[in-house]
Structures are given as structure tokens and as C-alpha cells.
Amino acid sequence: MTAKLILGTEIREVILKEIEEEVKEIKAKYGKVPGLVTILVGSNPASVSYVTLKIQTAQRLGFHEVQDTRPENMSEAELLALIDKYNKDDLIHGILVQLPLPKHIDEKKVLNAIDPDKDVDGFHPINVGRLMIGGSEVKFPPCTPAGIQELIVRSGVPTDGAEVVVVGRSNIVGKPIAVMMMQKGPGANATVTVVHTATKDLAFHCKRADILIVAAGVPGLVKPEWIKPGACVIDVGVNRVGEKISEKTGKKVPILRGDVDFEAAKEIAGWITPVPGGVGPMTITMLMKNTLKSLKYKLGLM
Ligand code: NAP
């Protein structure tokens, strides 16, 4: 069997087009556009490139976009005051603080200071609670899990009553996607198992999965013989396993590998995401979707 590829690069374009259309409609009717501020403290190269991508995507969609870059030595109190300013800014509907923050700043304190109604990353405890309750309580599902669910649904993978196995229990991927897939409702309603480093027999659980979601950060952890024939395999892992020279730019770029042995797994699975080009492109897309949702809540459209 050769699996159907689930390409985040393609699904992203469809969703971005939908967002762009909706932004135009809302602008024409209400004279408002979604506003997103990206706060970057310091100049960590990986953070700078993530933030640049977010800004470019927001601009492409016609958002009001603010990039607020501050020096590495900014104090925690100054950052909290800045967040307070954006919490009160009516043109801003989404506040994103790029992580990691410098060591002298308490990340938890900063994330908790964001108005939960502008927390488009979905990391504030109030939004985590809303996600757990499910249904119409959910305002901003965290972006990577929301992207995973979109990939599954838009690829026509049946979820109702499916056995979903999630490898990993992090707060940003494993736990939220497990909660989302077990909720009652479309695109979910699955029977979910979460496995981690204390799990006795990883292979046993993976082999039972109709949908296997792997977010461990261990290259090639999932072996092809652990995959049930015809299963949907979502590989969230992004692992740098070396460097190569880019044909496009002539510069050194990282060689990325997922948590699944892709070449062998694609001959067994029914659907599979590649790395890169699978889950990765969905995260920023869902951030944009959450920012648009935030404006729609404000306008009473949701
Ligand atoms: P994390 O916080 O390091 O959590 C990894 C989880 O995997 C932990 O729960 C850990 O178990 C479990 N795990 C690790 N090794 C395992 C093993 N050998 N067997 C079973 N479970 C194992 O990682 P994360 O932030 O969730 O990220 C996971 C991967 O996804 C990384 O490669 C990351 O780069 C990638 N990622 C991609 C995106 C994207 O594409 N947009 C977004 C986020 C993350 P314990 O809890 O027992 O330690």
C-alpha cells in the first residue's frame, strides 16, 4: 500500500484563502480587520525567523499587524506593562509572545498576563480549561493541535469511534490533541490513548491505532511494524539530524526528520504526513484563524 500524503503545505493554502475571503467580507461590512501583535524579546535567530513568517502571513491576509521587538535585557515588569497596553488596545485582537523568553523573565507569569480573549495561542489556563470543557466553550484551540485536527478532517479520515493513539503528553501538543480528539462532536468522538516514556509497551498501543499522532521529538521512534495497515499517521516531530546546502539559496540549512520512519511507514499507512511539509505549515495558519475568530467574537459574529 502507498499512503495518501497529507500535505500541510496544500491544506494551508486552502485555509489561508478562506481566511482572506472572510477578512475582506468583514472589512467591507464592519470596517474592521483582525489585529495581531507579535512581541519578540531579544534576537534568538530561530525566534526571529518564526516571527518573520508570522508577520508575512498576517500581512498577506490583510491583518493589522504590529511587530514589537524589545531588547534582551527588558525587565519582566516592562514586558508585563507592554502586554497590559495591548490588552487594552482595541485594534489588537491577538497577542503573541514569542517563546522562549530570556531566563530572567517568568514565562508563565507573562502568558497568564495576556487577556484570555486575546490569547490566540490558546496557552492561558482559562483557554486550556475551555478546551477541556469542549463544544461551544472552546475559543482558541492551541495552534499545532488545531492544525492536526484540520489535517485529519480535511483529508477525510474517519474519526468517529476511531482508536487514536497519541505519543507524547506535552502541554502544547500531546495533551491538547488527546483532549480534542476525545470530545463528542464532528472531527473527534474517538477513543484516545496517550503514551509516554513510562508506557510499558509502546509498540502494542501504536499497533492498535486507526489514527497515530506522534509528538515525541525522537527521530524515527515509530517503527513501520508498529503501524496498523491503512492507519492515518500524523508525524508532529521536527528533529534536526544534520545540515545540507540549500539548492535554492546556497546556504546551510538543517536536515529535518520526523518521529516516524517515513519511507517505510508510507508503504503501510493509509494516510501519512511528511516532515517537513505536513503538520509544520499548519501552526501559523491556525494562529491566523484564531486571530480572525477573536475579531468575530468581538463583533458578536460567533
Ligand atoms: P516535549 O515537550 O519534549 O514532549 C515530548 C513528549 O514525548 C513527552 O511527553 C515525552 O514523554 C514523550 N516521549 C519522548 N520520548 C519518548 C519515547 N521514547 N517513548 C515514548 N514517549 C516519549 O515535545 P513537544 O513540544 O510536544 O514536541 C514534540 C515534537 O513535535 C518535537 O519534535 C517538536 O519539535 C515537534 N513540534 C512541532 C510543531 C510543529 O510542527 N508546528 C509544534 C510543536 C512541536 P514524558 O512526558 O514521559 O517525558
Side-chain angles (χ1 to χ4, degrees):
M1 177 185 294
T2 301
K4 189 172 176 292
L5 283 187
I6 299 182
L7 296 174
T9 42
E10 284 180 4
I11 294 176
R12 164 184 64 189
E13 291 308 311
V14 175
I15 299 174
L16 289 179
K17 198 102 213 110
E18 290 168 4
I19 298 174
E20 205 174 351
E21 287 306 312
E22 226 178 325
V23 170
K24 278 187 197 151
E25 278 169 31
I26 292 176
K27 190 178 179 187
K29 212 163 168 187
Y30 301 93
K32 299 216 183 288
V33 294
L36 175 68
V37 60
T38 313
I39 302 171
L40 173 63
V41 184
S43 55
N44 174 309
S47 295
V48 171
S49 79
Y50 287 136
V51 164
T52 307
L53 259 176
K54 286 167 189 169
I55 292 165
Q56 286 169 347
T57 311
Q59 285 172 342
R60 165 184 166 186
L61 297 174
F63 284 19
H64 166 58
E65 169 276 315
V66 178
Q67 181 194 1
D68 200 331
T69 303
R70 302 283 165 152
E72 184 88 21
N73 62 0
M74 172 187 219
S75 74
E76 186 181 282
E78 284 168 329
L79 180 56
L80 292 172
L82 189 67
I83 289 173
D84 187 50
K85 180 186 104 166
Y86 288 119
N87 279 344
K88 292 174 179 149
D89 185 339
D90 280 342
L91 293 177
I92 295 297
H93 308 98
I95 300 173
L96 184 126
V97 178
Q98 185 63 45
L99 302 177
L101 287 168
K103 287 202 165 49
H104 64 278
I105 298 179
D106 181 346
E107 230 164 68
K108 204 165 142 192
K109 213 167 168 183
V110 168
L111 295 181
N112 289 359
I114 297 173
D115 178 348
D117 290 340
K118 295 190 179 188
D119 168 43
V120 286
D121 251 343
F123 292 155
H124 192 288
I126 290 202
N127 285 316
V128 176
R130 287 171 173 159
L131 189 81
M132 179 64 90
I133 295 167
S136 59
E137 283 292 324
V138 182
K139 273 198 137 171
F140 304 121
C143 300
T144 301
I148 293 170
Q149 196 174 31
E150 287 275 359
L151 290 178
I152 292 171
V153 170
R154 289 181 188 247
S155 304
V157 179
T159 61
D160 207 274
E163 291 288 336
V164 170
V165 174
V166 180
V167 183
R169 55 178 164 187
S170 71
N171 287 331
I172 61 164
V173 189
K175 276 187 216 163
I177 191 61
V179 167
M180 289 162 79
M181 295 308 295
M182 70 161 207
Q183 299 289 14
K184 203 162 186 163
N189 217 15
T191 304
V192 180
T193 305
V194 180
V195 297
H196 42 74
T197 55
T199 299
K200 289 203 177 86
D201 190 343
L202 211 56
F204 164 79
H205 292 284
C206 292
K207 279 180 193 168
R208 292 190 303 105
D210 300 311
I211 301 175
L212 180 60
I213 301 171
V214 193
V218 180
L221 172 69
V222 171
K223 310 288 172 257
E225 59 272 21
W226 297 6
I227 294 167
K228 181 173 169 179
C232 169
V233 179
I234 305 287
D235 190 353
V236 191
V238 181
N239 307 292
R240 288 169 183 240
V241 294
E243 279 185 333
K244 61 178 181 185
I245 302 294
S246 159
E247 283 176 20
K248 249 188 188 171
T249 61
K251 286 183 184 166
K252 267 190 191 168
V253 288
I255 299 171
L256 301 178
R257 204 170 151 211
D259 289 350
V260 177
D261 178 351
F262 175 79
E263 284 309 320
K266 76 175 183 353
E267 299 307 323
I268 301 162
W271 296 263
I272 192 165
T273 56
V275 177
V279 174
M282 297 300 290
T283 302
I284 291 179
T285 307
M286 301 319 291
L287 177 75
M288 300 300 143
K289 193 164 175 175
N290 276 350
T291 308
L292 170 62
K293 272 175 94 179
S294 180
L295 171 62
K296 287 166 71 180
Y297 285 122
K298 188 108 190 278
L299 294 172
L301 301 173
M302 286 190 82

